[in-house]
């Protein structure tokens, strides 16, 4: 209850200040009616948020950021209407702009919550939110000093604060705020805050009694709250007054109204993120936006400008142990009492305690985000927090948040640029295409393995990471031995920006000058089209595109074999050299084929022989397989149709689906015939007969399957 009372007192003071901010510039005679509008809107949004918010201690109120924009719009409206327009017409036109801004803000909030877009707004960097909360702490301190002294606190007024009469106003409040902050650092109890207020009020009145000052004298000296209306402020207008609205002037302010909506959405996100971090609990942002949207529509009914939860007042209950909906409800009811009845009793509350309370909140936030956060944050992030805090303190809130966002973006770009986009590197020896090669060709590929250098890329390519990648690839162009092919696989690239294409263009020009062919595999169509649009025809002649890594590797291998054979002048000596290099491998291959053919001949009584024409499907992925297949003639390819890539090339001596010989099995891939093929088929039943009739032959078959690494 006591927390709600304190929040209500601060609430009323803030709302009166906001009303003065908007109306006093050109409508000073109607500022009291404007205060009625702000208090009415504050009462409605505060009560609705207290009843519906997921954060139980929420205290919502019309906020200063939209009020600052609307104050300039009020001056513009007054100038547009001119001196001939009545003050009532100006007042009602401004009120209409305020109400429209609240309605549109409410609609935007409801759309964000309804379509669950709030999470998209959570990309606000953590250090920016931390710096924002710390900066709010500084604004609380400045605001607390301003409440106690009655003048704005700035470099120009520092000398005034040192005057003896000013010291009398703020010294006790500073002592109270520092003492309360020091106590709450060590102890946490729900009675600390109300107890301190009771003691503070008692000491204040005891001090003025000892000093011989009366209550009227304390009011005159600015030691007590003043400016609270003695009577009710509602209704501030009637339905008849709406006829005074100059709608043409209202429509002229639509750009400014949309700016108010944008600022309020950002403010809502920042404040709720700050409350979430300070509370240490996750809050359903979409639900909060829905609640805030309906609350702002209610605020518009009262002719008030938009708002959202206030960090200071919402955290007041949490900091004092009063984490209950009663905080917001009591706050709203007291504000409603001031609106409809009057709030003269508030004028007996010492300003020093109000200011000290703001100082306490400011000290708490600054300690948490400037002092305590140092141990849990890396230096770059911590420097962002401190920088935002300093900028807010020197230049202002919006400047600090803007600076923080820019700093966070710069740090993000630098850090993300250092994340390697090269997943793996390989040469022709490390990785081969699935195409089966003859023994001499395998020898040629081994000899020229360094001529093919491949890079599997991963992540997102943007101007930072792409520039780092290009520098790595350029260094590969100058290395020894010189690569004839550089293969770039985009299979794991999640996206790219136009800067990545421009960086690729730079690398392509360097590769063209070095007579190195670039092979791009699995690149997005947009990337390929952009490259073909930017690069010249001459440069494109040195770039090849393929659908997957395997086909790109096969093309590089073919070119490498072709170049290796072409560069050898004496064809006869080349054949002799390859023969001598390959003779051992030839003999091993012939021995394996001889063992395989002998095994097939021995298994002939149990095998079925099947033939497949070129291009036909031997097995389809997902279909039941009736037994194992032995390739005895022709060539086939194993394909993963989902990924669209080749798995392996099948030639005589290879085994397909060996597990199917023992029972039910589903084909994991698709097998297609690249030429006319012949297969020897062994069913599970034939396998059982084989084990019964020729167990030694069954063991020999198992040994062959194990050595061949069959699936």
């Amino acid at each position: 209850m006591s927390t709600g009372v304190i929040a209500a007192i601060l609430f009323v003071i803030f709302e009166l200040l906001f009303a003065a901010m908007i109306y006093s510039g050109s409508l000073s005679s109607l500022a009291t009616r404007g205060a009625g509008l702000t208090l009415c809107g504050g009462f409605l949004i505060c009560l609705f948020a207290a009843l519906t918010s997921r954060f139980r201690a929420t205290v919502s109120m019309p906020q200063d950021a939209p009020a600052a924009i609307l104050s300039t719009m009020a001056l513009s409206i007054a100038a547009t209407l001119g001196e001939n327009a009545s003050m009532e017409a100006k007042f009602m036109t401004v009120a209409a702009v305020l109400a429209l801004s609240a309605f549109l803000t409410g609609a935007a909030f409801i759309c964000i919550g309804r379509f669950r877009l709030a999470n998209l707004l959570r990309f606000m960097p953590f250090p920016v939110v931390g710096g924002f909360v710390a900066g709010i702490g500084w604004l609380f301190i400045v605001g607390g000093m301003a409440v106690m002294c009655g003048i704005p606190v700035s470099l120009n007024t520092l000398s005034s604060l040192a005057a003896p009469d000013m010291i009398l106003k703020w010294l006790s409040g500073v002592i109270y705020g520092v003492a309360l902050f020091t106590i709450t650092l060590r102890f946490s109890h729900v009675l600390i805050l109300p107890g301190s207020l009771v003691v503070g009020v008692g000491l204040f009145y005891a001090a003025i009694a000892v000093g011989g000052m009366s209550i009227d004298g304390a009011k005159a000296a600015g030691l007590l709250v003043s400016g609270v209306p003695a009577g009710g402020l509602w209704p501030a207008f009637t339905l008849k007054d709406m006829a005074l609205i100059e709608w043409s002037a209202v429509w002229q302010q639509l750009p400014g109204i949309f700016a108010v909506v944008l600022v309020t959405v950002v403010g809502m996100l920042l404040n709720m993120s700050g409350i979430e971090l300070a509370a240490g609990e996750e809050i359903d942002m979409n639900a909060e936006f829905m609640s805030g949207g309906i609350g702002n529509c209610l605020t518009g009914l009262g002719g008030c400008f938009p708002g959202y939860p206030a960090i200071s007042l919402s955290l007041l209950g949490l900091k004092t142990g009063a984490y209950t909906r009663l905080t917001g409800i009591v706050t709203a009811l007291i504000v409603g009492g001031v609106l409809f009845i009057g709030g003269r009793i508030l004028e007996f509350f010492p300003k020093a305690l109000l200011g000290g309370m703001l100082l306490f909140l400011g000290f708490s936030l600054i300690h948490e985000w400037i002092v305590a956060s140092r141990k849990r944050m890396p230096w770059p992030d911590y420097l962002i927090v401190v920088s935002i805090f300093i900028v807010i303190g020197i230049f202002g809130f919006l400047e600090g948040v803007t600076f923080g966002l820019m700093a966070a973006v710069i740090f993000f770009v630098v850090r993300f640029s250092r994340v390697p986009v090269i997943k793996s590197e390989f040469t022709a020896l490390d990785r081969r295409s699935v195409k089966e090669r003859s023994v001499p060709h395998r020898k040629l590929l081994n000899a020229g393995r360094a001529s093919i250098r491949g890079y599997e890329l991963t992540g997102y390519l943007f101007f930072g990471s792409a520039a780092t990648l290009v520098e790595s690839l350029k260094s590969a162009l100058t290395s020894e031995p010189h690569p004839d092919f550089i293969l770039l696989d985009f299979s794991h690239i999640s996206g790219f920006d136009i800067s990545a294409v421009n960086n690729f263009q730079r690398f392509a020009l360097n590769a063209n000058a070095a007579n190195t062919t670039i092979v791009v595999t699995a690149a997005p169509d947009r990337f390929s089209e952009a490259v073909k649009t930017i690069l010249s025809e001459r440069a494109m002649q040195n770039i090849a595109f393929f659908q997957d890594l395997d086909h790109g590797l096969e093309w590089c291998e073919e070119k490498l074999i072709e170049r290796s054979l072409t560069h050898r002048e004496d064809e006869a000596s080349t054949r002799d050299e390859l023969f001598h290099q390959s003779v051992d491998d030839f003999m091993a291959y012939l021995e394996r084929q001889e063992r395989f053919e002998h095994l097939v001949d021995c298994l002939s009584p149990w095998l079925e022989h099947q033939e497949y024409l070129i291009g036909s499907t031997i097995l389809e992925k997902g279909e039941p397989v009736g037994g194992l297949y032995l390739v005895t003639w022709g060539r086939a390819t194993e394909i993963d149709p989902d990924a669209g890539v080749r798995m392996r090339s099948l030639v005589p001596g290879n085994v397909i689906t060996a597990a199917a010989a023992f029972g039910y099995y589903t084909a994991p891939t698709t097998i297609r015939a690249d030429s006319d093929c012949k297969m020897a088929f062994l069913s599970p039943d034939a396998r059982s007969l084989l084990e019964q009739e020729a167990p030694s032959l069954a063991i020999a078959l198992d040994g062959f399957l194990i050595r061949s690494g069959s699936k």
Side-chain angles (χ1 to χ4, degrees):
M1 181 72 73
S2 60
T3 303
V5 173
I6 298 302
I9 295 172
L10 294 172
F11 194 120
V12 171
I13 292 174
F14 289 151
E15 296 309 300
L16 294 177
L17 290 175
F18 297 159
M21 180 190 303
I22 295 175
Y23 291 101
S24 62
S26 60
L27 309 170
S28 56
S29 63
L30 299 175
T32 302
R33 291 173 64 184
L37 296 182
T38 58
L39 288 176
C40 178
F43 164 69
L44 293 173
I45 194 173
C46 181
L47 182 61
F48 187 80
L51 295 174
T52 61
S53 175
R54 302 297 177 90
F55 183 73
R56 295 196 297 274
T58 295
V59 177
S60 288
M61 61 183 290
Q63 291 288 340
D64 54 346
I69 299 175
L70 290 165
S71 64
T72 62
M73 295 168 63
L75 293 173
S76 175
I77 290 172
T80 299
L81 297 181
E83 297 180 357
N84 295 329
S86 64
M87 295 299 290
E88 288 76 8
K90 296 178 181 179
F91 172 79
M92 290 304 301
T93 303
V94 172
V97 170
L98 267 60
L100 183 58
S101 67
F103 280 124
L104 292 179
T105 299
F109 278 25
I110 291 173
C111 289
I112 291 172
R114 171 64 180 82
F115 297 104
R116 307 195 66 80
L117 303 176
N119 289 334
L120 297 178
L121 303 175
R122 282 185 177 269
F123 288 105
M124 188 73 66
F126 180 80
V128 175
V129 177
F132 161 74
V133 177
I136 289 292
W138 171 254
L139 295 182
F140 286 161
I141 293 175
V142 173
M145 294 296 295
V147 167
M148 292 185 288
C149 300
I151 61 173
V153 177
S154 64
L155 293 176
N156 298 328
T157 60
L158 286 180
S159 58
S160 301
L161 297 179
D165 59 332
M166 282 294 180
I167 294 177
L168 179 65
K169 292 181 178 181
W170 59 257
L171 181 59
S172 58
V174 171
I175 294 174
Y176 170 74
V178 172
L180 184 59
F181 169 69
T182 304
I183 292 171
T184 54
L185 278 181
R186 293 179 172 271
F187 309 99
S188 177
H189 197 278
V190 69
L191 296 178
I192 290 178
L193 179 61
S196 69
L197 290 176
V198 171
V199 173
V201 170
L203 290 176
F204 173 79
Y205 280 100
I208 64 173
V210 171
M213 181 182 293
S214 65
I215 293 179
D216 291 336
K219 289 182 179 179
L223 300 179
L224 296 174
V225 173
S226 61
V228 182
L233 296 175
W234 190 258
F237 60 87
T238 63
L239 292 177
K240 292 182 179 180
D241 294 331
M242 296 184 65
L244 300 173
I245 298 174
E246 296 290 343
W247 290 106
S248 60
V250 173
W251 306 136
Q252 290 178 9
Q253 302 301 321
L254 280 179
I257 291 175
F258 288 125
V260 169
V261 174
L262 178 61
V263 167
T264 309
V265 169
V266 174
M268 171 71 171
L269 173 69
L270 290 174
N271 275 25
M272 288 308 302
S273 298
I275 292 173
E276 187 179 57
L277 289 175
E281 64 177 73
E282 186 175 1
I283 299 175
D284 187 346
M285 287 290 189
N286 291 298
E288 293 302 317
F289 269 96
M290 283 292 292
S291 173
I294 299 174
N296 273 295
C297 290
L298 294 174
T299 298
L301 292 175
C304 183
F305 51 93
Y308 42 84
I311 289 184
S312 57
L313 302 183
S314 297
L315 295 183
L316 187 60
L318 184 69
K319 293 289 184 181
T320 57
Y323 184 47
T324 170
R325 296 191 185 277
L326 285 176
T327 300
I329 294 173
V330 170
T331 301
L333 293 178
I334 294 177
V335 172
V338 175
L339 174 66
F340 296 109
I341 301 173
R344 174 155 299 200
I345 192 174
L346 299 179
E347 294 191 349
F348 294 96
F349 199 85
K351 277 187 177 181
L353 293 186
L354 285 179
M357 183 63 62
L358 289 173
L359 293 179
F360 158 69
L361 292 173
F363 292 148
S364 299
L365 294 178
I366 291 174
H367 177 269
E368 181 175 356
W369 290 101
I370 300 298
V371 179
S373 67
R374 173 61 200 97
K375 296 180 180 179
R376 62 176 186 265
M377 296 181 69
W379 267 109
D381 295 326
Y382 178 73
L383 289 177
I384 293 178
V385 174
V386 174
S387 300
I388 295 174
F389 172 73
I390 294 174
V391 173
I392 289 177
I394 297 176
F395 300 102
F397 168 72
L398 292 178
E399 291 83 354
V401 173
T402 302
F403 169 81
L405 288 173
M406 293 175 59
V409 168
I410 293 173
F411 273 102
F412 171 79
V413 170
V414 172
R415 288 173 174 175
F416 198 59
S417 299
R418 295 176 180 175
V419 176
V421 294
I422 297 178
K423 181 181 179 182
S424 64
E425 302 180 29
F426 57 89
T427 65
L429 183 62
D430 305 319
R431 181 172 297 185
R432 297 276 180 84
S433 69
V434 300
K435 182 175 181 179
E436 193 70 22
R437 300 288 181 184
S438 64
V439 173
H441 285 179
R442 288 202 295 270
K443 289 294 182 180
L444 291 176
L445 290 177
N446 289 339
R449 58 184 178 272
S451 296
I452 301 176
R453 293 194 184 180
Y455 300 86
E456 283 189 290
L457 309 181
T458 185
Y460 186 88
L461 283 178
F462 71 110
F463 59 90
S465 58
T468 304
L469 171 64
V470 167
E471 292 303 317
S472 300
L473 297 178
K474 286 171 63 177
S475 63
L477 292 176
T478 58
S479 61
E480 292 294 337
H482 178 268
D484 294 323
F485 305 92
I486 287 186
L487 191 151
L488 303 176
D489 181 56
F490 282 68
S491 299
H492 303 286
I493 289 294
S494 58
F496 66 94
D497 64 4
I498 191 62
S499 300
V501 179
N502 291 332
N503 278 281
F504 182 85
Q505 178 188 17
R506 290 195 301 113
F507 170 65
L509 295 176
N510 283 273
N512 193 35
N515 199 27
T516 297
T517 301
I518 301 175
V519 179
V520 180
T521 64
D525 292 338
R526 290 192 303 112
F527 183 86
S528 303
E529 292 171 0
V531 169
K532 294 174 182 177
T533 302
I534 293 176
L535 291 180
S536 63
E537 293 185 6
R538 179 183 177 186
M540 286 302 302
Q541 292 176 355
N542 213 37
I543 301 177
F545 293 89
F546 294 93
Q547 62 184 8
D548 56 51
L549 176 60
D550 183 62
H551 283 89
L553 272 173
E554 179 183 339
W555 185 84
C556 291
E557 291 169 356
E558 297 285 357
K559 292 295 182 180
L560 180 60
I561 293 171
E562 180 182 337
R563 291 183 185 183
S564 298
L565 293 175
T566 302
H567 290 168
R568 299 174 184 263
E569 298 179 356
D570 188 346
E571 185 175 350
S573 62
T574 298
R575 287 197 301 267
D576 292 341
E577 181 182 353
L578 286 175
F579 176 78
H580 289 297
Q581 292 177 352
S582 308
V583 64
D584 293 337
D585 291 338
F586 267 127
M587 296 303 297
Y589 172 76
L590 292 175
E591 289 177 3
R592 286 196 301 271
Q593 288 301 108
E594 182 181 4
R595 289 195 299 268
F596 173 73
E597 292 174 1
H598 176 70
L599 178 64
V600 171
D601 288 339
C602 295
L603 292 171
S604 182
W606 296 273
L607 295 176
E608 300 177 23
H609 295 279
Q610 302 176 359
E611 296 185 5
Y612 297 89
L613 297 177
I614 182 173
S616 62
T617 299
I618 300 172
L619 286 175
E620 192 72 48
K621 181 178 181 179
E623 74 172 90
V625 182
L628 72 81
Y629 291 84
L630 301 174
V631 183
T632 59
W633 181 266
R635 304 174 67 89
T637 301
E638 183 177 4
I639 304 168
D640 183 352
D642 296 332
V645 296
R646 298 183 299 181
M647 305 296 294
R648 59 173 176 156
S649 182
L650 301 169
V651 295
N654 288 140
V655 182
I656 306 174
T657 62
F662 300 91
Y664 181 81
Y665 188 74
T666 301
T669 55
T670 296
I671 310 295
R672 291 198 177 98
D674 296 332
S675 66
D676 293 342
C677 294
K678 295 180 180 180
M679 300 282 175
F681 177 76
L682 179 67
S683 66
D685 293 339
R687 165 76 193 195
S688 298
L689 289 175
L690 174 65
E691 292 177 347
Q692 296 174 10
E693 299 173 359
S696 59
L697 185 57
I699 294 175
L701 174 62
D702 291 342
F704 173 79
L705 296 178
I706 293 172
R707 287 192 301 272
S708 63
S710 301
K711 297 181 180 180

